[in-house]
Amino acid sequence: MRRISMFMCCGMLLLLSACNDATSPANAPPVTTPVTPQSRLSAAAQAGQVMFFDQTLSGSGKMSCATCHDPNSAYGPPNDLAVQLGGTSMTAAGTRAVPSLRYKSVTPPYADLLDNPDGITAPGPGGGFTWDGRVDTLAEQAAIPLLDPNEMANTDKATVVAHIKAGPYADLFRQAFGQQALENVDDAFANAGKALQAFQMEDISFHPNTSKFDLNAGNKIGGAFTPAEERGFRVFVDPNVGNCASCHYNGAGINGSSSLFTDFSIEAIGVPRNMAIPVNGDPTYMDMGVCGPLRKDHQPSAPHAADNFCGRFKSPTLRNVATRTVFFHNGIMHSLEQVIRFYNTRDTRPELWYPTEGGTPKNPPDPDFPTYGLIKTQYVGGQVQKYNDLPAEYIANIDPQMPLDGRPAGSATPMTEQNVTDLICFLKTLNDDYVPGKTPTAPECLK
């Protein structure tokens, strides 16, 4: 169990993964080109910029990086599908939700014992890219969707290199990496990843820092919080209430430089199983994050053997979280309010989030039966199948911090209704493209 200071807090592992899209390019909304002029980008970044939007780099000829990581959606998915569709026919379903690519440039390499930036919490698994931290650079991460059969579905590295060689930016690629840059397949493929990395590192649209929080943190005109937003920030940092900062904080504060709103930790919180993901139709399939199946170096020594890494997924940044419609590594939830209520009632009302076995449906449900949960049916009797996407032997890996502190069912929630409302108001201040002086559209955020 982690120990934290009064200014930290464990919030929302809004765990989100790689790239594929269900909308065809013809029906998808137009993507906005990045904001940094090409003249200000290195040759490698210029090549990466063109590659990022190049659909010919996929086996289907219909998918680019931007298909899933849409600039209009903070470089996240442009729809609310739990997982995206790709492959050679654009019908292959992924296994994890698509994350945003914003604010990734300072991500540390994965470590089993990563130092926590708060200087207080004990080191633990953290860092790296993808939901399980299995690669250490943006260049390595870019290679994954290019070859994944459910995503861009190229047959092999040589196919990717052939596409680049035949593309209109081949000369630009050679300018960046040398005249022989496309002759050796392994080197050329590695440089393709470096080009995409350079684009993400250099183009300001990947790390704009233009939220209301940024204006407030820098004491700039027009950035003042409303009372509700101010209260929400207190909920965010209070270890006895929201306790969000223990996982979504990286050493910066509200009166200092802007935080990344993640400490890069990798945690287990027992997110419910999502049966909308086709692979989950197989009851033997379990996505357990760091211990597999996609990551191979931390798997249990034998089936069901003890393994401290099982069930752990990366804590993403909360920047632009209020713009998302897909949350957690398996895309099980579709609104920010639902996510916060999961944190608040996972333990006190588990029947709202996990299936009940053996119960009798109550028809009609009680007038006060909440409708915000995943489970819309109220049951009498039966057994709630809590933590239904994690084998029983790994439930001990679940983080016991507030607000997911394992308190008894039926007990008081960590956050009040006002706390929930205020926290949502604060999290909306993390959206980029804030217009100075603009008031919140939600009336509850003005009070």
Side-chain angles (χ1 to χ4, degrees), residues 179-194:
Q179 288 304 305
Q180 304 302 312
L182 293 169
E183 302 310 311
N184 180 282
V185 168
D186 287 338
D187 290 345
F189 186 81
N191 286 333
K194 292 177 182 177

Side-chain angles (χ1 to χ4, degrees), residues 301-326:
S301 58
H304 306 293
D307 190 308
N308 185 51
F309 297 99
C310 290
R312 292 178 178 265
F313 296 89
K314 189 177 177 184
S315 304
T317 176
L318 295 187
R319 283 182 170 273
N320 296 294
V321 69
T323 70
R324 294 191 62 88
T325 54
V326 181

Side-chain angles (χ1 to χ4, degrees), residues 50 72 89 107 113 124 173 182 201 216 287 323 354 371 378 435:
V50 183
N72 289 335
S89 62
T107 302
L113 295 175
F173 195 90
L182 293 169
M201 296 286 284
N216 213 60
D287 187 349
T323 70
Y354 303 95
T371 59
Q378 185 179 16
V435 178

Side-chain angles (χ1 to χ4, degrees), residues 128-395:
F129 293 89
T130 75
W131 282 111
D132 51 29
R134 68 186 183 275
V135 295
D136 288 338
T137 68
L138 282 167
E140 293 174 292
Q141 185 279 326
I144 295 174
L146 285 169
L147 299 177
D148 192 306
N150 294 331
E151 302 187 44
M152 297 181 79
N154 286 288
T155 306
D156 50 27
K157 296 178 182 179
T159 305
V160 177
V161 174
H163 287 317
I164 297 173
K165 189 179 293 189
Y169 51 94
D171 287 341
L172 186 59
F173 195 90
R174 293 186 182 96
Q175 179 184 335
F177 300 107
Q179 288 304 305
Q180 304 302 312
L182 293 169
E183 302 310 311
N184 180 282
V185 168
D186 287 338
D187 290 345
F189 186 81
N191 286 333
K194 292 177 182 177
L196 288 166
Q197 174 177 271
F199 171 50
Q200 294 174 68
M201 296 286 284
E202 295 180 31
D203 194 286
I204 193 63
S205 64
F206 286 95
H207 35 84
N209 293 106
T210 54
S211 69
K212 186 175 185 179
F213 176 87
D214 295 309
L215 291 172
N216 213 60
N219 299 313
K220 301 172 185 176
I221 296 174
F225 284 164
T226 67
E229 292 165 348
E230 189 76 44
R231 291 194 304 269
F233 175 74
R234 295 193 186 103
V235 173
F236 185 90
V237 299
D238 191 330
N240 297 311
V241 187
N243 198 29
C244 312
S246 67
C247 296
H248 295 285
Y249 179 84
N250 70 319
I254 195 167
N255 294 314
S257 59
S258 296
S259 171
L260 290 176
F261 289 94
T262 176
D263 65 0
F264 313 107
S265 62
I266 297 178
E267 307 287 354
I269 62 169
V271 174
R273 190 172 181 86
N274 189 356
M275 295 308 297
I277 300 177
V279 73
N280 281 344
D282 177 359
T284 66
Y285 178 86
M286 288 281 180
D287 187 349
M288 293 189 287
V290 177
C291 84
L294 299 181
R295 184 165 185 161
K296 308 296 185 183
D297 61 336
H298 284 69
Q299 293 181 334
S301 58
H304 306 293
D307 190 308
N308 185 51
F309 297 99
C310 290
R312 292 178 178 265
F313 296 89
K314 189 177 177 184
S315 304
T317 176
L318 295 187
R319 283 182 170 273
N320 296 294
V321 69
T323 70
R324 294 191 62 88
T325 54
V326 181
F327 299 87
F328 295 112
H329 72 280
N330 61 2
I332 184 66
M333 296 181 197
H334 295 278
S335 76
L336 180 58
E337 179 185 356
Q338 191 175 49
V339 169
I340 292 174
R341 290 192 180 279
F342 170 72
Y343 275 86
N344 201 34
T345 62
R346 183 201 70 181
D347 297 327
T348 64
R349 300 290 302 271
E351 71 276 10
L352 301 178
W353 307 105
Y354 303 95
T356 294
E357 187 176 275
T360 301
K362 190 172 187 178
N363 190 19
D366 294 339
D368 61 349
F369 181 73
T371 59
Y372 53 72
L374 295 173
I375 307 300
K376 305 301 183 182
T377 302
Q378 185 179 16
Y379 289 90
V380 177
Q383 181 68 41
V384 177
Q385 305 301 298
K386 194 174 181 182
Y387 309 135
N388 67 327
D389 204 26
L390 187 65
E393 55 267 30
Y394 302 123
I395 290 176

